[in-house]
Amino acid sequence: MKSRIFILIGPPGAGKGTQAKNIANLKDFVLISTGDLLRENVEKKTELGITAKSYMDKGELVPTELVARMIKANIKQNIGRNGFLFDGFPRDLAQNALLSEMLKEFNLDVDKVIYIDVKDEAIHERLTNRRICPKCKKVYHMKYNPPKHGELCDDCNVSLIIRDDDKIDVIKKRLEVYHKSTQPLVDYFEKSGRITKINGERTPKEVEGEIISNI
Ligand code: AP5
């Protein structure tokens, strides 16, 4: 069976991670989130993690060759599965060319790109109010999706944390990088007709419903 390939793309804080986890579960897709994989490496203090952290803390992209190695290993491990959902990769035109090459090796191709559209004005509020469980990695929002008790994870009962790159100056930089590097890729996908644009400024359930009906 040929695996289906989907890409979730959008600005920082658009809700890619929130949606990707649920959709991968619902559809039994392999989730490849470069942000999560990099953060795992940072936490374990691997060589890759130590290098990546210096870029992530500044809101810059980690060098593509490091990210690409990680992606290829993940595809190889999961070949033959129902589908793959990419969150956070590709992030620019060069990464997209690399992904196409990798997929070709495995006789695969991208089925659809889902673009979660959220305007810059909403991003700031989303990211400054984001909290993460350090244990299970569940994502909360202190206003729109708050934990039941104070700042404790509902499932693990441990204190939630703020991501290192959710500081105001780093958020600003990440948005700049998005507009400079990722927006041209979104424009490219739009021209190639493979992208579905979804209004991300609705409830997570509404956004999820529209994504599901498009894949
Ligand atoms: P990455 O982790 O990919 O970060 P990002 O793209 O900036 O996206 P975020 O994770 O911040 O946001 P999200 O869209 O997942 O939103 P979320 O669901 O959490 O990358 C981090 C860094 O790693 C990069 O800066 C770079 O350095 C490096 N990196 C990663 N990939 C790379 C690559 N391919 N190449 C090179 N470097 C790479 O939601 C945000 C908040 O909003 C949460 O609080 C959530 O609860 C809330 N929320 C979600 N949906 C809604 C909704 N519908 N309404 C209201 N609130 C909502």
Side-chain angles (χ1 to χ4, degrees):
M1 184 187 58
K2 201 167 165 177
S3 307
R4 299 171 74 214
I5 309 286
F6 295 94
I7 295 172
L8 266 188
I9 200 164
K16 303 182 296 296
T18 302
Q19 297 298 336
K21 287 179 186 78
N22 290 342
I23 286 162
N25 273 337
L26 286 167
K27 290 280 178 184
D28 191 28
F29 289 164
V30 176
L31 173 59
I32 302 188
S33 158
T34 41
D36 286 349
L37 290 170
L38 289 168
R39 278 184 289 278
E40 251 173 64
N41 276 277
V42 170
E43 224 175 276
K44 290 181 186 153
K45 296 192 168 62
T46 65
E47 205 178 314
L48 165 63
I50 292 165
T51 310
K53 186 169 168 43
S54 62
Y55 292 91
M56 293 167 84
D57 284 354
K58 284 187 278 189
E60 290 170 2
L61 294 183
V62 173
T64 292
E65 62 272 21
L66 301 180
V67 178
R69 236 179 283 155
M70 224 170 53
I71 298 278
K72 197 165 179 181
N74 258 280
I75 300 177
K76 217 169 168 179
Q77 263 171 27
N78 290 292
I79 212 74
R81 291 276 301 271
N82 187 29
F84 287 84
L85 180 61
F86 288 91
D87 161 22
F89 185 88
R91 240 169 159 102
D92 59 19
L93 289 161
Q95 290 192 359
N96 185 51
L98 214 62
L99 177 65
S100 301
E101 253 175 58
M102 280 185 219
L103 293 176
K104 220 172 179 179
E105 260 184 60
F106 299 108
N107 194 28
L108 297 170
D109 197 6
V110 174
D111 288 87
K112 200 178 257 189
V113 180
I114 305 281
Y115 168 51
I116 307 185
D117 185 25
V118 174
K119 301 283 170 282
D120 285 11
E121 299 76 60
I123 301 287
H124 185 266
E125 202 210 9
R126 291 232 182 148
L127 294 182
T128 49
N129 287 291
R130 173 164 60 186
R131 300 290 184 274
I132 313 276
C133 171
K135 206 169 164 199
C136 70
K137 313 297 176 203
K138 191 165 170 183
V139 178
Y140 294 86
H141 188 281
M142 293 312 290
K143 229 164 139 182
Y144 305 126
N145 177 28
K148 291 191 183 98
H149 307 289
E151 292 213 11
L152 296 175
C153 176
D154 296 345
D155 303 326
C156 311
N157 207 34
V158 298
S159 293
L160 302 177
I161 55 165
I162 298 176
R163 245 169 68 172
D164 284 345
D165 58 353
D166 279 347
K167 297 186 184 103
I168 289 171
D169 53 330
V170 187
I171 294 172
K172 197 167 158 244
K173 179 69 186 172
R174 284 161 63 204
L175 268 171
E176 268 172 39
V177 169
Y178 172 78
H179 287 296
K180 185 166 168 269
S181 304
T182 311
Q183 189 62 54
L185 178 60
V186 172
D187 298 342
Y188 166 81
F189 283 140
E190 262 173 354
K191 275 188 205 130
S192 72
R194 267 189 303 184
I195 203 165
T196 299
K197 187 171 170 176
I198 288 184
N199 174 7
E201 296 190 39
R202 292 171 299 163
T203 68
K205 265 283 159 226
E206 285 170 327
V207 176
E208 180 187 296
E210 200 178 339
I211 296 177
I212 290 287
S213 66
N214 274 287
I215 60 178

